[in-house]
Amino acid sequence: MYEDDRTVDELIELAEEAESFGLAKGMEEIRGVARGKGVALAVDLHGMLTGLQLTEEALSLGPEQLAAEIMRLSGEACTASLQKGIRAIEAGCGGDVAAAVAEFMPSAKSD
């Protein structure tokens, strides 16, 4: 497990510096997308659904299959958004920080 010896004040200072670089704003704009069986959806970095499009193909699946497809695609999109987030952290904070964050999010690791 990763131990961090920095103080709370040091961490706050780092967070404020990161804000000045626009990292937080960039992270807010990250989206993961997935498509399949007439469904297209997007989620933000928190996994919240930000877009959903359904075609006639999707509507013909029926409620149970449609719900299952949306859940499946949501998982794919969440993984994609987490991977983008890790790349953004790596670009903004360095590989060590990104690796430490990814250690706590196994689904964010690239295949």
Side-chain angles (χ1 to χ4, degrees):
M1 182 166 186
Y2 178 78
E3 263 188 53
D4 194 336
D5 295 328
R6 295 174 289 186
T7 67
V8 171
D9 289 334
E10 289 172 327
L11 293 171
I12 290 171
E13 185 178 327
L14 283 172
E16 289 170 348
E17 285 178 24
E19 259 184 49
S20 70
F21 294 126
L23 182 59
K25 180 69 173 160
M27 298 290 276
E28 289 174 9
E29 296 173 5
I30 290 176
R31 298 290 181 267
V33 297
R35 291 177 175 76
K37 296 184 181 179
V39 178
L41 57 79
V43 299
D44 66 12
L45 195 52
H46 304 286
M48 183 176 288
L49 189 67
T50 61
L52 177 64
Q53 295 178 340
L54 303 173
T55 66
E56 289 297 323
E57 177 188 2
L59 296 175
S60 70
L61 293 173
E64 289 178 11
Q65 285 184 321
L66 179 57
E69 184 65 3
I70 290 171
M71 292 298 295
R72 184 186 73 77
L73 292 173
S74 293
E76 285 182 18
C78 285
T79 298
S81 69
L82 286 174
Q83 289 171 348
K84 288 178 183 180
I86 293 296
R87 286 193 300 272
I89 290 170
E90 185 173 15
C93 302
D96 290 343
V97 174
V101 171
E103 181 180 328
F104 294 99
M105 297 186 305
S107 63
K109 294 178 183 168
S110 297
D111 295 329

